């Protein structure tokens, strides 16, 4: 750890934090599409109901299956989207980090100033490296949820087009 420069660790922490912001932007982008689909479903519910009433036999079963799969994909996609917005934020390594916002928030301001004054350069490097690791875990969780939500959205769009064609 001694060979690593403090400036490198700080820039790496900023880079990982930017990945978190990037995943948040993707989540906001996805939420627009999910909102559009939700309002589209509400708008076309009368057409869906009339189609259900007009279909007979296996067409009705196929149509109902497509609707159920569409609703299921919508719910799963929204679940992943919400999970990407609200990741599990926990520092499993320590309760005393001067670079993790939840640990800092537990301290009184005067105690925080006191702890910062005592911090050596080597301890600073270790705590920043620990924060890089924590932020990387958070970024990975958020990006995985964004990817899963995107997959659900793409499948959802395919099912909606299939329902419109049938």
């Amino acid at each position: 750890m001694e060979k690593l420069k403090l400036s490198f660790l700080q820039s790496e922490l900023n880079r990982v934090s930017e990945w978190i912001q990037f995943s948040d932007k993707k989540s906001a982008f996805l939420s627009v599409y999910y909102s559009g689909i939700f309002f589209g479903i509400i708008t076309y519910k009368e057409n869906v109901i009339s189609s259900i009433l007009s279909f007979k036999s296996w067409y009705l079963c196929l149509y109902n299956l497509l609707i159920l799969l569409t609703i299921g994909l919508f719910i799963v996609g929204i679940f992943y989207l919400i999970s990407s917005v609200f990741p599990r934020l926990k520092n499993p390594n320590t309760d005393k980090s001067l670079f993790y916002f939840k640990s800092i928030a537990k301290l009184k301001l005067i105690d925080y100033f006191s702890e910062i004054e005592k911090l050596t350069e080597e301890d600073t490097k270790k705590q920043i490296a620990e924060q890089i690791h924590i932020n990387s875990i958070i970024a990975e969780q958020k990006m995985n949820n964004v990817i899963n939500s995107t997959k659900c959205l793409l499948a959802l769009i395919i099912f909606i087009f299939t329902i419109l064609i049938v």
Side-chain angles (χ1 to χ4, degrees), residues 4-16:
L4 289 176
K5 295 196 182 232
L6 189 57
S7 61
F8 167 77
L9 291 171
Q10 289 169 328
S11 66
E12 187 65 14
L13 180 59
N14 286 336
R15 189 182 69 77
V16 172

Side-chain angles (χ1 to χ4, degrees), residues 1 6 99 118-129:
M1 184 70 74
L6 189 57
F99 296 95
K118 293 182 209 172
L119 205 56
T120 66
E121 185 172 341
E122 190 61 29
D123 287 339
T124 302
K125 288 178 182 179
K126 285 180 183 177
Q127 287 200 25
I128 291 175

Side-chain angles (χ1 to χ4, degrees), residues 3 14 100 153:
K3 291 181 181 180
N14 286 336
Y100 185 61
L153 180 65

Side-chain angles (χ1 to χ4, degrees), residues 2-166:
E2 195 172 308
K3 291 181 181 180
L4 289 176
K5 295 196 182 232
L6 189 57
S7 61
F8 167 77
L9 291 171
Q10 289 169 328
S11 66
E12 187 65 14
L13 180 59
N14 286 336
R15 189 182 69 77
V16 172
S17 296
E18 287 173 6
W19 274 104
I20 292 172
Q21 292 173 359
F22 182 61
S23 72
D24 287 339
K25 289 176 184 176
K26 285 185 170 218
S27 295
F29 183 74
L30 285 172
S31 68
V32 170
Y33 283 101
Y34 276 103
S35 297
I37 288 172
F38 179 73
F39 289 115
I41 289 170
I42 290 173
T43 303
Y44 288 103
K45 78 176 182 184
E46 296 300 323
N47 293 359
V48 171
I49 292 171
S50 67
S51 294
I52 289 173
L53 295 175
S54 68
F55 285 134
K56 302 287 184 220
S57 178
W58 71 275
Y59 279 122
L60 179 61
C61 290
L62 175 65
Y63 197 73
N64 286 337
L65 179 64
L66 286 173
I67 290 172
L68 287 174
L69 288 172
T70 301
I71 291 169
L73 279 170
F74 183 80
I75 291 170
V76 170
I78 291 293
F79 170 77
Y80 282 122
L81 185 61
I82 290 170
S83 296
S84 73
V85 175
F86 300 108
R88 286 176 272 143
L89 301 174
K90 184 158 174 72
N91 183 345
N93 303 318
T94 183
D95 290 334
K96 289 191 165 203
S97 173
L98 296 176
F99 296 95
Y100 185 61
F101 72 96
K102 285 191 172 189
S103 298
I104 295 168
K106 292 177 185 175
L107 296 172
K108 292 181 181 177
L109 185 59
I110 191 80
D111 294 335
Y112 178 69
F113 287 151
S114 174
E115 292 295 321
I116 287 288
E117 289 288 325
K118 293 182 209 172
L119 205 56
T120 66
E121 185 172 341
E122 190 61 29
D123 287 339
T124 302
K125 288 178 182 179
K126 285 180 183 177
Q127 287 200 25
I128 291 175
E130 180 182 286
Q131 191 59 46
I132 291 168
H133 181 258
I134 291 166
N135 283 11
S136 296
I137 291 170
I138 292 169
E140 181 197 22
Q141 288 174 356
K142 290 172 80 71
M143 288 303 285
N144 284 338
N145 287 325
V146 166
I147 289 168
N148 289 332
S149 183
T150 304
K151 288 177 183 177
C152 287
L153 180 65
L154 294 174
L156 185 61
I157 290 170
I158 291 169
F159 277 102
I160 288 173
F161 279 123
T162 305
I163 288 172
L164 293 175
I165 291 171
V166 172

